[in-house]
Amino acid sequence: MQITLEGKRALVTGGNTGIGRAITRSLVEAGAKVAINYLTHPETASMLLDETTERGGTAISIQADVSDPTSVAAMFRKLDETWGGIDLLVNNAGIDGVRSATWESEVADWRKVLEVNLFGAYYCAREALRRMVPQKGGVVMNITSVHEEIAWSGYSAYTASKAALGMLTKNIAQEGAPYGIRAVAVAPGAVESDINRSVWSDPKGKQDLLDKIPLRRLGSPEEIASLVVVLLSDQASYLTGRTVYIDGGMTDFPDFTHGG
Ligand code: BGC
């Protein structure tokens, strides 16, 4: 069995850091040409570009704010100019927002999370699909979270955005199927990256997190990226409209190891 993305034109949003960076690296390794989208930290994007070139891969970086449809449209125009379109979209950019009980949250904070995580994915998918439908092929992948399914006190905007992204995946899968387009969501659990550094760098916070994971460890960005490559490849050609959880068993309700 050969897993390859040779010659595919890919865009990874938030592709310069965390899980996004690992996805960028794995896509390059699998032979894809990768557009690394970033909003801040341009130095991380240029380091990744240099690294890709050194390894004989092909990549470009594009600064764009996924929560702004005008910025997204400009990013896709750049993709058109550079590679004449797109085959693989990975909607990875996301934020978890300000922690606060729903009744204490600020509307602007709540809205921002939805604008990045949900509207951002929608804006990018909309542009990508406008190119994938006429070419009759492509994959839209949305990186969601275990919090597509698990409630998380203090993060109602985040959980709502991820649950909605799961359904957006299903809808795109249904609409895209007649055109040979697949849509898949990948839902990571606790993965060691910057987004949750404050939790895993604190021993008490880390232990609390580990207690929620049957495999008793955090995931690595590379483990998520490996699954992403497989699911984007033709080896997963019959998979569409579903979320694949990769969480060390977090959604397997470890509290039920005892009792019940
Ligand atoms: C969040 C992390 C969290 C994990 C498990 C992810 O979606 O971004 O901060 O550790 O879910 O709760």
Side-chain angles (χ1 to χ4, degrees):
M1 183 173 79
Q2 215 204 346
I3 297 163
T4 173
L5 301 176
E6 201 59 51
K8 300 282 186 196
R9 300 159 298 177
L11 168 65
V12 183
T13 66
N16 58 326
T17 58
I19 294 175
R21 173 166 47 203
I23 293 174
T24 296
R25 286 181 172 141
S26 297
L27 261 56
V28 167
E29 208 183 308
K33 302 176 197 171
V34 184
I36 306 160
N37 156 257
Y38 67 98
L39 178 59
T40 54
H41 302 294
E43 69 290 350
T44 54
S46 43
M47 269 170 58
L48 209 47
L49 274 185
D50 293 347
E51 182 194 300
T52 305
T53 322
E54 272 166 34
R55 293 184 180 178
T58 308
I60 57 169
S61 65
I62 312 177
Q63 184 176 28
D65 178 356
V66 297
S67 71
D68 170 7
T70 312
S71 185
V72 169
M75 172 162 68
F76 276 81
R77 279 199 300 276
K78 177 86 197 270
L79 275 177
D80 290 341
E81 286 158 20
T82 317
W83 295 325
I86 180 167
D87 303 296
L88 311 170
L89 167 66
V90 183
N91 277 319
N92 163 79
I95 55 172
D96 52 13
V98 179
R99 177 174 199 145
S100 62
T102 304
W103 61 91
E104 283 166 349
S105 60
E106 295 291 337
V107 171
D109 294 336
W110 216 90
R111 179 174 284 139
K112 188 68 204 168
V113 175
L114 270 289
E115 276 175 356
V116 175
N117 297 3
L118 180 61
F119 279 78
Y122 156 67
Y123 297 144
C124 292
R126 179 170 167 268
E127 291 290 345
L129 289 163
R130 286 176 174 179
R131 289 151 177 88
M132 290 174 181
V133 166
Q135 79 192 8
K136 294 205 164 25
V139 186
V140 173
M141 175 169 291
N142 295 318
I143 306 300
T144 62
S145 162
V146 286
H147 298 298
E148 206 190 293
E149 196 177 302
I150 306 177
W152 189 14
S153 294
Y155 291 98
S156 60
Y158 185 74
T159 55
S161 74
K162 295 298 186 178
L165 200 47
M167 182 49 86
L168 179 63
T169 310
K170 293 185 191 184
N171 229 92
I172 292 172
Q174 201 180 78
E175 293 172 9
Y179 302 96
I181 296 162
R182 296 189 297 118
V184 181
V186 165
V191 173
E192 204 168 302
S193 77
D194 281 344
I195 202 169
N196 53 4
R197 182 179 296 276
S198 64
V199 177
W200 55 258
S201 58
D202 162 57
K204 261 180 75 183
K206 185 165 182 179
Q207 193 51 54
D208 180 62
L209 199 51
L210 294 182
D211 290 343
K212 295 176 165 71
I213 310 168
L215 289 186
R216 297 285 175 234
R217 65 174 179 85
L218 271 74
S220 70
E222 290 72 27
E223 286 175 302
I224 309 303
S226 300
L227 178 67
V228 164
V229 169
V230 176
L231 299 186
L232 288 174
S233 80
D234 289 343
Q235 295 297 340
S237 49
Y238 202 52
L239 175 61
T240 194
R242 278 287 137 191
T243 295
V244 179
Y245 285 81
I246 171 164
D247 62 358
M250 198 178 234
T251 43
D252 198 25
F253 298 101
D255 279 354
F256 278 81
T257 304
H258 308 284

